[in-house]
Amino acid sequence: MEKRTLGRTGRDVGVVGLGAWQLGADWGEVGEDEALGVLRAAVDGGVTFIDTADVYGDGRSERLVGQVLKEYDGLTVASKMGRRVEQKPENYTLDNFRAWNDRSRTNLDVETIDLVQLHCPPTSVYSTDAVFDALDTLVEEKRIAAYGLSVETCAEALTAIARPNVASVQIILNAFRLKPLDEVLPAAAEAGVGIIARVPLASGLLSGKYDASTTFGADDHRTYNRQGEAFDVGETFSGVDFATGLEAVQRLLPAVPSGATMAQFALRWILDQPGVSVVIPGARNPAQVAGNIGAAALAPLTGEQLAAVRTTYDELVRPQVHSRW
């Protein structure tokens, strides 16, 4: 698999990674054996970057990743912190960071975490010098090797990129979220900051496997967060109305290369965007893992295929999402 440098971490990672949210919670039940099977299939297939968080299943995802981390060399693991408390800026303190980090290091069973990201913190946190001083302290104490931020908006991403020691920015980037192409990706490339593309399949919409009759379990955020009831609505279907997303996928299907799936086309589109370091699709079984990894082997998309994504976005999706994030 092609590798790219993950920003200021200096680490080379495979361009298709694995997002481990679904191995913790919020995507329906995934058994421990199934979750470990997904992780092992990913690494065996060439994945070297795994993204998790302390709140995914209240640490379950981290613990599962930690088990697999013992079995393989050469992996880069990123976790996130900050969502275990009420989202008030005053909770983003060095003492809390140390406590959250201790828990994550225990879950992962490591002395130093490769990359820790603040997990979509309140907007004012991005402009608070003391927060970044505290993160620098965690690096000095060798609790973490590097830090970044997972963001909701392009404005937050640009503020983070301007910070001198931010190694990476994780942002929603997919065929339904083109706004980061305008300023965020160029700014990150110029600053040497890595871009981790999350929600790459728009919560599965861009897999092409859903239709108007598709339903999800009660414990799946695609059921309970469609209006942002639990967290930012942009994390569910990228903030796109389900029916609109289905229509957009139908428009994109003719652009999918022969022999490729809709999901692979969607992932390849992300990999073709200058400045992207790694994309982190999730998976619930080894077959999905293999499909995601296959995107890295596709040829770069043609100008006509790229134009199809842009036109579909401009005509159907832009009015719903562009001004919001």
Side-chain angles (χ1 to χ4, degrees):
M1 187 189 294
E2 176 193 354
K3 291 188 175 182
R4 298 177 185 172
T5 302
L6 180 57
R8 292 172 177 153
T9 70
R11 290 171 170 263
D12 290 335
V13 298
V15 291
V16 176
L18 178 71
W21 180 10
Q22 78 289 344
L23 305 185
D26 301 314
W27 293 81
E29 179 61 30
V30 178
E32 182 170 331
D33 289 344
E34 294 172 290
L36 292 171
V38 165
L39 287 161
R40 290 169 180 141
V43 181
D44 289 339
V47 166
T48 64
F49 180 81
I50 301 172
D51 178 84
T52 183
D54 58 0
V55 290
Y56 294 166
D58 195 28
R60 179 180 191 248
S61 178
E62 286 183 326
R63 290 190 292 273
L64 291 165
V65 171
Q67 288 187 52
V68 172
L69 193 56
K70 293 186 181 67
E71 301 172 11
Y72 297 89
D73 295 325
L75 299 182
T76 295
V77 172
S79 194
K80 297 184 283 293
M81 66 180 184
R83 306 296 294 190
R84 297 184 59 77
V85 294
E86 188 176 356
Q87 291 303 288
K88 294 182 176 180
E90 54 265 33
N91 285 328
Y92 284 73
T93 65
L94 178 56
D95 285 345
N96 279 343
F97 287 178
R98 284 175 172 147
W100 301 336
N101 178 254
D102 284 346
R103 188 174 186 274
S104 288
R105 289 188 299 136
T106 297
N107 286 339
L108 290 165
D109 197 14
V110 297
E111 286 296 318
T112 304
I113 301 176
D114 301 324
L115 175 68
V116 167
Q117 305 151 97
L118 295 187
H119 199 169
C120 300
T123 300
S124 63
V125 166
Y126 294 81
S127 301
T128 304
D129 291 344
V131 167
F132 293 89
D133 290 343
L135 291 168
D136 288 334
T137 297
L138 296 191
V139 175
E140 292 166 5
E141 294 174 347
K142 301 190 185 308
R143 293 166 170 270
I144 64 177
Y147 63 82
L149 290 99
S150 183
V151 308
E152 293 290 3
T153 71
C154 289
E156 290 171 346
L158 291 169
T159 304
I161 289 166
R163 290 281 174 176
N165 294 328
V166 167
S168 63
V169 165
Q170 183 176 144
I171 191 168
I172 296 177
L173 175 66
N174 59 47
F176 293 165
R177 281 287 196 97
L178 270 59
K179 189 174 182 179
L181 306 185
D182 297 341
E183 295 183 70
V184 173
L185 266 59
E190 183 176 353
V193 171
I195 290 290
I196 302 167
R198 82 168 185 278
V199 196
L201 298 179
S203 308
L205 259 178
L206 283 164
S207 71
K209 296 179 179 178
Y210 302 160
D211 60 30
S213 66
T214 302
T215 59
F216 305 94
D219 58 349
D220 190 312
H221 73 99
R222 292 170 292 185
T223 295
Y224 67 75
N225 194 57
R226 288 201 183 192
Q227 306 303 321
E229 297 95 328
F231 41 81
D232 191 285
V233 69
E235 302 288 344
T236 301
F237 301 131
S238 299
V240 178
D241 171 75
F242 189 67
T244 302
L246 292 176
E247 182 181 353
V249 168
Q250 289 303 308
R251 287 202 193 182
L252 290 174
L253 281 173
V256 176
S258 177
T261 66
M262 181 68 215
Q264 289 170 336
F265 169 77
L267 294 173
R268 184 69 246 183
W269 178 86
I270 295 169
L271 295 178
D272 287 345
Q273 306 311 310
V276 170
S277 307
V278 59
V279 60
I280 51 169
R284 292 173 60 89
N285 56 63
Q288 290 180 354
V289 171
N292 294 338
I293 291 172
L298 292 183
L301 300 183
T302 66
E304 185 177 356
Q305 289 167 323
L306 295 172
V309 173
R310 173 64 71 172
T311 300
T312 300
Y313 175 81
D314 285 343
E315 293 181 356
L316 288 179
V317 179
R318 177 187 285 268
Q320 291 190 17
V321 304
H322 201 83
S323 64
R324 298 181 68 182
W325 293 283

